[in-house]
Amino acid sequence: MSYSIIERGKPNTLDYRVYFSGPNGVVSSFHDIPLFANKDAGEMNMIVEVPRWTNAKMEIDTKSKMNPIKQDVKKGALRYVKNCFPHHGYIWNYGALPQTWEDPNHFDERTNANGDGDPLDICEIGSKVRKLGDVVTVKILGTLAMIDENETDWKIIAIDVTDELAPKLNDISDVDKYMPGFLKATYEWFMIYKVPDGKPRNTFAFEGEFKNKEFALEIIKETHVQWQKLLAQQCDACGLACENVSVAGSPYRVSHEEAKQVVESQPELGSPEALPQSMHKWYYIPRVEENDKKDE
């Protein structure tokens, strides 16, 4: 199934929103786009929130009707990740798996932390630079368990099924063979990316070890079940917007006309504002050595 985007507001401002449209009209990026692109093949849909090499921290707005993508905000200001040398912006196409949810009331004994209340994050490591709002078919390779402000924040590692390396990458152990250094760079990026903003380095469960495909698929299965409970009103909704147009039996289901009205209530697309000058600056952070994982 193909999807298109509907932009509203001015890019690089607080009012910018990206909605999704399917064959029958506006859909929720969180709830209506299916998790599986091809269940028999184990292929899943990834929603691209942040294209590779960009800095704006865009994410699915879980608390607004029809769940558009918007830019994250801290203390009234738009969030951008800094360029931590030698990385520029995000080093993968970064996004979310729809129809998954890390329930903040669920304690994960593997990480000794509760969920972060968001859809699962996913890093697509193929060679293409995707666009904001792309829905990409991926295969899962593994996962990294970051602990973000005492919350479990799984980072799923995957590759676009159309990528030239996709036939060779079938589990996390294949990544170092065909993309030497990339997993280390990924670990380092997640550890240090908040340091230029005055935050400490992030920490990880399992001493920063990447877990394999089987482990990652189990995480996805669990968070898909947590999402199902959310949409069936079987748990605390935590203030999330659960409106959808297609989830069978969901008490949150709305009509296509109601979904369309949500988009039409937003300001028309305008010209983008300039990016802040900090996006053109390098930030130099002490290098991550191999033994750093053991020191955390």
Side-chain angles (χ1 to χ4, degrees):
M1 186 180 296
S2 62
Y3 298 92
S4 58
I5 62 170
I6 306 169
E7 297 176 275
R8 288 291 184 267
K10 297 173 66 175
N12 307 322
T13 70
L14 293 169
D15 67 358
Y16 182 60
R17 301 289 185 275
V18 176
Y19 291 89
F20 287 76
S21 181
N24 298 313
V26 174
V27 298
S28 160
S29 60
F30 189 2
H31 308 303
D32 288 311
I33 296 176
L35 171 60
F36 287 98
N38 183 335
K39 194 167 185 177
D40 291 339
E43 297 171 353
M44 301 185 186
N45 285 315
M46 168 197 179
I47 298 171
V48 177
E49 299 167 312
V50 187
R52 179 188 283 116
W53 313 138
T54 64
N55 301 75
K57 194 177 188 309
M58 309 298 292
E59 60 185 17
I60 291 174
D61 183 357
T62 59
K63 296 187 177 181
S64 293
K65 289 182 178 181
M66 307 318 296
N67 311 111
I69 291 176
K70 71 168 188 177
Q71 192 163 351
D72 191 22
V73 176
K74 289 290 185 183
K75 297 181 180 179
L78 296 173
R79 284 189 67 189
Y80 296 89
V81 300
K82 304 300 195 301
N83 299 312
C84 297
F85 182 83
H87 313 300
H88 186 285
Y90 286 71
I91 64 173
W92 345 256
N93 296 302
Y94 187 76
L97 285 174
Q99 296 188 344
T100 65
W101 183 52
E102 296 186 65
D103 185 349
N105 294 313
H106 173 74
F107 181 77
D108 192 326
E109 294 182 354
R110 293 160 299 197
T111 61
N112 291 316
N114 287 41
D116 70 352
D118 290 324
L120 279 175
D121 295 326
I122 182 167
C123 305
E124 191 283 307
I125 65 174
S127 59
K128 299 175 184 176
V129 178
R130 290 294 186 169
K131 296 179 181 178
L132 171 64
D134 279 354
V135 179
V136 182
T137 302
V138 299
K139 68 174 178 178
I140 306 303
L141 301 175
T143 188
L144 178 67
M146 191 174 89
I147 307 300
D148 187 1
E149 298 181 2
N150 298 315
E151 294 177 333
T152 303
D153 192 4
W154 296 103
K155 306 299 181 183
I156 303 296
I157 309 299
I159 189 165
D160 180 346
V161 297
T162 67
D163 192 87
E164 60 184 9
L165 282 178
K168 298 179 179 179
L169 301 184
N170 296 298
D171 211 324
I172 200 69
S173 59
D174 297 323
V175 179
D176 272 336
K177 181 178 180 180
Y178 295 100
M179 302 175 67
F182 198 81
L183 292 182
K184 181 181 178 182
T186 294
Y187 170 84
E188 177 183 82
W189 193 98
F190 281 119
M191 177 188 281
I192 66 174
Y193 80 99
K194 293 182 180 179
V195 172
D197 296 320
K199 300 288 185 67
R201 291 183 176 193
N202 283 318
T203 59
F204 304 84
F206 314 112
E207 296 186 332
E209 175 191 359
F210 285 83
K211 307 303 281 186
N212 65 14
K213 177 177 183 175
E214 181 181 5
F215 189 102
L217 290 174
E218 186 62 27
I219 298 301
I220 294 168
K221 179 181 177 180
E222 291 175 7
T223 55
H224 183 52
V225 169
Q226 289 170 22
W227 169 82
Q228 290 173 323
K229 291 180 178 179
L230 171 68
L231 268 286
Q233 291 185 330
Q234 294 176 4
C235 62
D236 181 3
C238 303
L240 302 185
C242 297
E243 289 82 4
N244 66 85
V245 297
S246 66
V247 181
S250 171
Y252 298 106
R253 193 161 173 174
V254 298
S255 69
H256 287 286
E257 182 60 31
E258 289 174 295
K260 179 182 177 183
Q261 289 172 3
V262 171
V263 177
E264 291 180 343
S265 69
Q266 301 298 310
E268 291 294 325
L269 178 64
S271 299
E273 294 289 329
L275 289 170
Q277 285 300 309
S278 61
M279 296 304 94
H280 307 295
K281 179 180 177 181
W282 286 116
Y283 291 81
Y284 294 90
I285 314 297
R287 304 298 298 159
V288 175
E289 300 298 334
E290 286 296 331
N291 61 4
D292 280 355
K293 298 180 183 181
K294 300 177 183 178
D295 294 336
E296 293 174 358

